[in-house]
Amino acid sequence: MGRMAAMLIRVRSTAMLVAVLAAFTPSLCLASHDNSGWSDRFGHPGFNSLVFAAVEFDGTLIVGGRFTHGGGIPAGNLARWDGTSWTDLGGGVNGEVYALTVHDGALYVGGKFTAAGGVPASNIARWDGASWSALGSGADGTFSRVYALVSQGS
């Protein structure tokens, strides 16, 4: 079946952003292990491992996955593309990112991690553009990973 990834679908008529679970092969990722097929418009080098999710946030492209470097810079599984270069996003998370969504002006990150930017967060966290916060006690126990996120409304 392969690995699982979050595929983002935007439904413009209802202002809903839905993350859907999908099986994938490396050819469907933004980057592969050897960066073959990486688009020049996103800078070189690409990522040193897999990108599982992407979303637009605050006029930039945010990508998440399982990588430690993106576009030649250290990035803890999260990176931001501003149209010119890649940058780290708030120190990233200490594990894999499978899902991204935006709701009420904040970025929500789901995956398998215990901290976001050094702030304890159990597999789901919120980035407000300046700092990280956990969502309550997070998703732990039976729900040891977050593979999909849904945002409805504003």
Side-chain angles (χ1 to χ4, degrees), residues 24-119:
F24 74 96
T25 62
S27 64
L28 295 177
C29 295
L30 293 177
S32 61
H33 287 284
D34 65 359
N35 289 319
S36 62
W38 183 258
S39 174
D40 286 339
R41 67 184 172 184
F42 293 113
H44 273 284
F47 289 79
N48 67 331
S49 194
L50 299 175
V51 172
F52 297 136
V55 69
E56 181 185 346
F57 174 69
D58 200 23
T60 63
L61 173 68
I62 307 298
V63 297
R66 180 180 64 215
F67 53 84
T68 57
H69 286 79
I73 58 104
N77 305 301
L78 281 169
R80 177 193 309 249
W81 174 255
D82 65 8
T84 304
S85 61
W86 289 101
T87 57
D88 171 70
L89 181 70
V93 298
N94 68 346
E96 295 181 1
V97 173
Y98 302 122
L100 299 167
T101 195
V102 175
H103 184 77
D104 285 340
L107 173 69
Y108 291 83
V109 177
K112 176 67 177 161
F113 53 86
T114 59
V119 174

